[in-house]
């Protein structure tokens, strides 16, 4: 089957005849970040993206629907494919853009403490090494200091002053006009990049450089020596093999799905990667809603978006609290807000992803330290509600929903390579750049490589690490770097 040169997507049959330099599995935020860096920095590189799902939307769902319709959209198109701890809660969006099409917009850097605080989750890199990539991610994702400018926001910030609240760095498209600020979305950036490639291929009379195919599920890898030589794929009921011996393969399918692919390919046993699938972690989510007296009357815009960072570097304080308006924020002179807590989880080899029949099973029992951290977080949430004016006896107890944060990390985590390779493989799966131990051309670009979950929403760190990975992959492949790189890409 020949590709339609005017079609933005590429049929898998056509991709089989191409020889891409980089093949990315997954089109979520991590996969898109790798692709956009490689496309902009390496002018001769050809990049292929394999997406399991179809197109659901070409922008963030929040740009299409009001807040109250986001939940029904997820219930209609989401899937909950995992058993165990994530049973019924571990959400996946098999679609172009992945979970990025419904993700929250809070894009904050990890705290410096997160890189070295956890005894069993120290990063093999310093936080300063990510700084230039964080900067590029903030520029590309149009991070702005705060979304809300309302009387309610000002009031909440003042009332909660003792907690050192912040207006969150929010990923919004500052190019948008009118009352609605458009949320940044990796799928929108990808779609713009695809069309840019189509246009340049037409005007410059060259072959396409960004080859994106949907409805293509990668089932397993095959190896030849120390290289991944093929991807066994299923597309619309047909099985195909993509030859990859001469290109770099980047996993960006999510920590659970990327680990599943490594385990189903038997790389854990073939390569002695005993840490594969282990050290799974997430943010433990707790929420409550309160209605509080609001001193400002006749307010039409009562949006609130505030986050409270950790109060200190101690492990039991590693949680973040968000205060946001509910769908109907003002009722009869009162303000309705949702208070959410996100507690980091201890990295532990007993928390893992396991193959278990048709479903991947997730084992993620909170430790005693995790539970104590959640208790501290919930106590702080109650104090926040009381400071806003809620009656202590009427505050609903914060409810913990395990597996619901959609912030899972680990499973293919990075670590330092030592002279004792067996020891290295027992605590990590990739090296400090995300390259899988013992393989020359397999890399991991998503949150699977995180040694710990940190405290902030992991989205910005995923993007920064994906840019860093793309730079290192290009260097290893000796890909030519574009002369006179323009900002932001020249910054890293």
């Amino acid at each position: 089957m020949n590709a339609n040169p005017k079609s933005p997507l590429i049929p898998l049959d056509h991709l089989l005849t191409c020889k891409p330099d980089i093949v990315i599995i997954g089109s979520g935020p991590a996969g898109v970040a790798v692709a956009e860096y490689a496309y902009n920095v390496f002018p001769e590189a050809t990049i292929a993206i394999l997406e399991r799902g179809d197109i659901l939307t070409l922008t963030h769902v929040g740009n299409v629907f009001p807040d109250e319709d986001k939940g029904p959209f997820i219930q209609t198109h989401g899937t909950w494919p995992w058993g165990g701890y994530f049973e019924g809660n571990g959400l996946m969006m098999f679609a172009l853009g992945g979970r990025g099409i419904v993700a929250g917009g809070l894009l904050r850097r990890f705290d410096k403490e997160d890189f070295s605080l956890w005894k069993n989750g120290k990063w093999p890199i310093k936080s300063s090494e990510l700084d230039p990539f964080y900067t590029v991610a903030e520029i590309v994702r149009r991070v702005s200091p705060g979304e809300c400018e309302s009387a309610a926001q000002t009031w909440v910030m003042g009332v909660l002053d003792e907690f050192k609240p912040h207006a969150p760095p929010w990923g919004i498209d500052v190019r948008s006009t009118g009352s609605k600020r458009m949320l940044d979305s990796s799928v929108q950036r990808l779609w713009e990049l695809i069309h840019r490639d189509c246009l340049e291929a037409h005007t410059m009379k060259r072959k396409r450089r960004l080859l994106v195919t949907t409805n293509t599920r990668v089932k397993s890898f095959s190896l030849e020596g120390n290289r991944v030589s093929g991807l066994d794929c299923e597309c619309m009921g047909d099985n195909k093999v993509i030859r990859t011996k001469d290109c770099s393969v980047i996993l960006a399918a999510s920590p659970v799905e990327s680990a599943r692919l490594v385990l189903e390919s038997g790389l854990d046993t073939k390569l002695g990667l005993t840490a594969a699938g282990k050290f799974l972690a997430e943010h433990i989510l707790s929420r409550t809603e309160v209605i509080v007296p609001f001193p400002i009357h006749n307010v039409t815009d009562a949006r609130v978006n505030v986050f409270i960072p950790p109060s200190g570097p101690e492990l039991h304080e590693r949680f973040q609290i968000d205060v946001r308006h509910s769908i109907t924020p003002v009722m009869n002179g009162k303000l309705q807000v949702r208070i959410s807590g996100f507690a980091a989880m201890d990295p532990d080899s007993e928390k893992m992803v396991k193959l278990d029949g048709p479903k991947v099973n997730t084992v993620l029992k909170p430790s005693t330290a995790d539970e104590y951290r959640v208790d501290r977080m919930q106590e702080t949430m109650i104090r926040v509600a009381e400071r806003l004016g809620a009656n202590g006896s009427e505050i609903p107890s914060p409810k913990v929903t395990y597996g619901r944060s959609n912030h899972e990390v680990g499973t293919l985590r990075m670590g330092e390579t030592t002279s004792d390779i067996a020891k290295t493989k027992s605590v990590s799966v990739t090296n400090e750049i995300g390259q899988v131990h013992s393989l020359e051309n397999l890399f991991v670009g998503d949150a699977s490589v995180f040694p710990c979950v940190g405290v902030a929403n992991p989205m910005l760190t995923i993007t920064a690490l994906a840019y860093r990975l793309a730079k290192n992959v290009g260097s290893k492949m000796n890909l030519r770097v574009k002369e006179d790189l323009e900002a932001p890409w020249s910054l890293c």
Side-chain angles (χ1 to χ4, degrees):
M1 180 186 298
N2 294 323
N4 179 352
K6 296 184 179 180
S7 173
L9 299 182
I10 301 294
L12 180 59
D13 283 347
H14 174 68
L15 184 61
L16 296 176
T17 67
C18 300
K19 295 182 178 180
D21 299 290
I22 299 172
V23 175
I24 303 167
I25 301 173
S27 69
V32 171
V34 172
E36 62 187 352
Y37 184 98
Y39 188 92
N40 284 288
V41 176
F42 309 126
E44 296 168 358
T46 300
I47 306 111
I49 299 180
L50 309 178
E51 169 52 49
R52 176 173 176 172
D54 208 335
I55 296 176
L56 292 181
T57 174
L58 296 179
T59 185
H60 194 282
V61 169
N63 300 334
V64 180
F65 300 116
D67 289 347
E68 58 267 28
D69 288 339
K70 179 181 174 181
F73 179 91
I74 292 174
Q75 290 296 324
T76 300
H77 299 289
T79 182
W80 292 262
W82 308 320
Y85 184 92
F86 286 147
E87 184 79 45
N89 283 318
L91 170 69
M92 282 298 289
M93 299 294 296
F94 293 129
L96 196 70
R99 283 183 296 189
I101 65 176
V102 296
L106 202 163
L107 298 177
R108 186 168 82 86
R109 299 186 183 198
F110 270 12
D111 300 322
K112 291 181 180 180
E113 294 90 342
D114 292 325
F115 291 83
S116 58
L117 185 62
W118 304 89
K119 181 179 179 181
N120 204 25
K122 295 183 185 298
W123 291 60
I125 61 174
K126 296 180 180 179
S127 62
S128 58
E129 293 180 48
L130 270 188
D131 284 347
F133 300 97
Y134 269 135
T135 298
V136 174
E138 287 162 344
I139 294 171
V140 172
R141 304 210 61 167
R142 308 182 186 100
V143 176
S144 300
E147 174 204 23
C148 295
E149 297 177 359
S150 70
Q153 176 84 345
T154 302
W155 177 74
V156 168
M157 291 280 285
V159 167
L160 299 181
D161 181 65
E162 66 185 87
F163 297 97
K164 297 180 173 59
H166 296 261
W170 203 248
I172 56 175
D173 188 346
V174 296
R175 301 172 301 178
S176 57
T177 59
S179 59
K180 186 175 180 63
R181 305 295 294 275
M182 305 293 281
L183 285 163
D184 170 77
S185 175
S186 51
V187 69
Q188 182 172 330
R189 301 200 314 276
L190 175 61
W191 197 243
E192 291 174 357
L193 195 62
I194 291 171
H195 279 283
R196 173 181 153 194
D197 182 56
C198 289
L199 180 61
E200 290 179 354
H202 175 72
T203 57
M204 299 169 66
K205 308 300 181 184
R206 65 159 172 80
K207 293 183 179 180
R208 295 276 299 277
R209 291 182 50 221
L210 183 57
L211 313 175
V212 181
T213 183
T214 56
N215 297 300
T216 300
R217 177 177 179 261
V218 180
K219 298 191 295 183
S220 63
F221 301 124
S222 55
L223 302 180
E224 288 186 23
N226 60 355
R227 298 185 68 85
V228 172
S229 59
L231 305 180
D232 183 12
C233 302
E234 181 182 14
C235 180
M236 310 298 284
D238 294 330
N239 291 320
K240 309 282 185 179
V241 176
I242 299 176
R243 300 298 176 189
T244 57
K245 188 174 182 180
D246 298 323
C247 66
S248 291
V249 178
I250 298 178
L251 271 171
S254 86
V256 177
E257 288 297 300
S258 291
R260 174 195 64 78
L261 189 50
V262 166
L263 295 172
E264 288 190 347
S265 301
L267 300 191
D268 54 329
T269 55
K270 293 175 184 176
L271 303 176
L273 299 172
T274 56
K278 297 181 180 179
F279 297 98
L280 177 64
E282 67 145 358
H283 282 145
I284 303 176
L285 172 63
S286 183
R287 277 186 176 148
T288 189
E289 287 205 3
V290 295
I291 300 174
V292 300
F294 187 43
I296 306 172
H297 299 283
N298 301 319
V299 173
T300 57
D301 184 0
R303 294 177 301 157
V304 174
N305 193 357
V306 170
F307 83 92
I308 297 170
S311 61
E314 296 81 8
L315 287 176
H316 61 265
E317 300 292 348
R318 304 313 292 170
F319 55 82
Q320 175 176 303
I321 292 174
D322 298 347
V323 182
R324 298 201 65 194
H325 61 274
S326 298
I327 294 174
T328 307
V330 179
M331 300 185 304
N332 301 321
K334 294 186 177 182
L335 183 68
Q336 185 170 1
V337 295
R338 184 181 66 195
I339 303 173
S340 304
F342 296 87
M345 178 174 269
D346 289 340
D348 183 347
S349 63
E350 296 301 313
K351 300 169 182 175
M352 69 183 76
V353 171
K354 298 195 300 183
L355 299 181
D356 186 17
K359 275 197 171 187
V360 174
N361 197 34
T362 52
V363 180
L364 203 60
K365 183 179 179 180
S367 67
T368 301
D370 292 331
E371 292 174 341
Y372 179 65
R373 191 176 303 113
V374 170
D375 288 342
R376 295 274 298 189
M377 178 177 70
Q378 292 180 325
E379 290 170 3
T380 305
M381 293 168 66
I382 296 295
R383 285 172 49 216
V384 167
E386 291 176 337
R387 191 67 186 86
L388 288 171
N391 187 319
S393 62
E394 298 177 358
I395 299 173
S397 297
K399 180 182 178 182
V400 174
T401 308
Y402 291 111
R404 189 67 181 275
S405 71
N406 300 318
H407 294 171
E408 67 273 0
V409 306
T411 70
L412 302 174
R413 68 179 189 161
M414 61 169 63
E416 292 181 335
T417 302
T418 67
S419 57
D420 186 349
I421 190 64
K423 184 176 180 181
T424 296
K425 291 179 178 180
S426 69
V427 295
S428 66
V429 178
T430 67
N431 64 14
E432 64 276 4
I433 69 167
Q435 181 178 6
V436 174
H437 298 313
S438 301
L439 290 178
E440 289 186 356
N441 68 332
L442 182 60
F443 303 82
V444 182
D446 57 30
S448 303
V449 299
F450 286 24
C452 67
V453 71
V455 174
N457 184 310
M459 184 68 74
L460 192 71
T461 304
I462 290 171
T463 305
L465 274 176
Y467 290 158
R468 178 178 177 269
L469 172 65
K471 180 177 182 177
N472 281 284
V473 168
S475 178
K476 282 184 169 293
M477 298 182 69
N478 295 314
L479 296 177
R480 184 175 73 84
V481 176
K482 184 179 179 182
E483 297 177 4
D484 301 321
L485 273 175
E486 298 178 355
W489 308 108
S490 59
L491 300 178
C492 61

